[in-house]
Amino acid sequence: MKAWWQQLNIREQRLVLVMSVLVSVFILYGLIWQPLNESINKQQSTLERQQDLLTWVEENTQRYQAAKRSGRAGSGASLSSIVNRTSRLNNIIITRMQPQGDDLQVWIDEISFNQLLTWLEQLASRDGLQVKNIDLSLADQQGVVRVRRLQLGKS
């Protein structure tokens, strides 16, 4: 290498030096600086998204807890009275109800699946009940199910 360097004239040696510096700068920039900078930017945007998500979760948690407290305070009714009232309002015929500890088991012969989902959503959002267990089977008609067992409880 030294022999090759010495046989170059001074102008060529300077050109090789300048090119070596340029290639070194390019390698430093392309292989180290740019990927590092992109990684930092990506991590900053991920951090910002995570902070926004945390803020959203904290706000909605406070709203949920406030709604839960106000829902519980106003709802001193028993499970069976809530289920009877809401089933009457939604034209749902309950075949059988049976208390089981703090929960209530409900059986329905036939009900539209969409009507069942609407009723369950109403029980959850307005009355603070939650579905703890459900056992469905298909009925003879399309879109209609039999509720073999629906276990509801207060959340």
Side-chain angles (χ1 to χ4, degrees), residues 35 37 45 48 69 116 136 153:
N37 200 19
S45 67
E48 289 172 2
R69 280 190 297 269
L116 175 66
L136 302 175

PDB file of all heavy atoms in Angstrom, residues 35 37 45 48 69 116 136 153:
ATOM      1  N   PRO A  35     -29.511   6.644  10.184  1.00  0.00           N
ATOM      2  CA  PRO A  35     -30.353   5.647  10.867  1.00  0.00           C
ATOM      3  C   PRO A  35     -30.612   6.002  12.337  1.00  0.00           C
ATOM      4  O   PRO A  35     -31.717   5.792  12.841  1.00  0.00           O
ATOM      5  CB  PRO A  35     -29.549   4.354  10.759  1.00  0.00           C
ATOM      6  CG  PRO A  35     -28.656   4.550   9.596  1.00  0.00           C
ATOM      7  CD  PRO A  35     -28.347   6.009   9.573  1.00  0.00           C
ATOM      8  N   ASN A  37     -30.723   9.043  13.640  1.00  0.00           N
ATOM      9  CA  ASN A  37     -31.657  10.165  13.633  1.00  0.00           C
ATOM     10  C   ASN A  37     -33.079   9.686  13.327  1.00  0.00           C
ATOM     11  O   ASN A  37     -34.038  10.122  13.961  1.00  0.00           O
ATOM     12  CB  ASN A  37     -31.199  11.203  12.614  1.00  0.00           C
ATOM     13  CG  ASN A  37     -31.801  12.565  12.876  1.00  0.00           C
ATOM     14  OD1 ASN A  37     -32.265  12.840  13.961  1.00  0.00           O
ATOM     15  ND2 ASN A  37     -31.787  13.408  11.848  1.00  0.00           N
ATOM     16  N   SER A  45     -42.146   9.923  18.017  1.00  0.00           N
ATOM     17  CA  SER A  45     -43.544   9.865  17.581  1.00  0.00           C
ATOM     18  C   SER A  45     -44.288   8.743  18.305  1.00  0.00           C
ATOM     19  O   SER A  45     -45.456   8.906  18.672  1.00  0.00           O
ATOM     20  CB  SER A  45     -43.645   9.694  16.068  1.00  0.00           C
ATOM     21  OG  SER A  45     -43.149   8.436  15.672  1.00  0.00           O
ATOM     22  N   GLU A  48     -45.098  10.091  21.742  1.00  0.00           N
ATOM     23  CA  GLU A  48     -46.215  11.034  21.691  1.00  0.00           C
ATOM     24  C   GLU A  48     -47.542  10.300  21.563  1.00  0.00           C
ATOM     25  O   GLU A  48     -48.522  10.656  22.228  1.00  0.00           O
ATOM     26  CB  GLU A  48     -46.032  12.011  20.528  1.00  0.00           C
ATOM     27  CG  GLU A  48     -44.924  13.016  20.755  1.00  0.00           C
ATOM     28  CD  GLU A  48     -44.625  13.840  19.515  1.00  0.00           C
ATOM     29  OE1 GLU A  48     -45.308  13.661  18.479  1.00  0.00           O
ATOM     30  OE2 GLU A  48     -43.701  14.667  19.575  1.00  0.00           O
ATOM     31  N   ARG A  69     -70.323   5.134  39.473  1.00  0.00           N
ATOM     32  CA  ARG A  69     -70.772   5.556  40.808  1.00  0.00           C
ATOM     33  C   ARG A  69     -72.193   6.094  40.744  1.00  0.00           C
ATOM     34  O   ARG A  69     -73.033   5.760  41.560  1.00  0.00           O
ATOM     35  CB  ARG A  69     -69.837   6.613  41.377  1.00  0.00           C
ATOM     36  CG  ARG A  69     -68.571   6.049  41.973  1.00  0.00           C
ATOM     37  CD  ARG A  69     -67.821   7.135  42.729  1.00  0.00           C
ATOM     38  NE  ARG A  69     -67.374   8.230  41.870  1.00  0.00           N
ATOM     39  CZ  ARG A  69     -66.208   8.278  41.260  1.00  0.00           C
ATOM     40  NH1 ARG A  69     -65.346   7.292  41.403  1.00  0.00           N
ATOM     41  NH2 ARG A  69     -65.873   9.303  40.509  1.00  0.00           N
ATOM     42  N   LEU A 116     -81.460  -9.472  21.183  1.00  0.00           N
ATOM     43  CA  LEU A 116     -80.757  -9.919  22.381  1.00  0.00           C
ATOM     44  C   LEU A 116     -79.534  -9.031  22.644  1.00  0.00           C
ATOM     45  O   LEU A 116     -79.309  -8.585  23.764  1.00  0.00           O
ATOM     46  CB  LEU A 116     -80.322 -11.385  22.246  1.00  0.00           C
ATOM     47  CG  LEU A 116     -79.473 -11.948  23.375  1.00  0.00           C
ATOM     48  CD1 LEU A 116     -80.273 -12.008  24.672  1.00  0.00           C
ATOM     49  CD2 LEU A 116     -78.946 -13.325  23.003  1.00  0.00           C
ATOM     50  N   LEU A 136     -75.954 -20.062  24.192  1.00  0.00           N
ATOM     51  CA  LEU A 136     -76.936 -19.877  23.131  1.00  0.00           C
ATOM     52  C   LEU A 136     -76.971 -21.098  22.232  1.00  0.00           C
ATOM     53  O   LEU A 136     -75.984 -21.806  22.080  1.00  0.00           O
ATOM     54  CB  LEU A 136     -76.579 -18.660  22.273  1.00  0.00           C
ATOM     55  CG  LEU A 136     -76.456 -17.313  22.947  1.00  0.00           C
ATOM     56  CD1 LEU A 136     -75.976 -16.273  21.962  1.00  0.00           C
ATOM     57  CD2 LEU A 136     -77.774 -16.895  23.553  1.00  0.00           C
ATOM     58  N   GLY A 153     -75.047 -10.343  36.370  1.00  0.00           N
ATOM     59  CA  GLY A 153     -74.630  -9.893  37.693  1.00  0.00           C
ATOM     60  C   GLY A 153     -74.350  -8.404  37.658  1.00  0.00           C
ATOM     61  O   GLY A 153     -74.197  -7.807  36.601  1.00  0.00           O
TER      62      GLY A 153
END
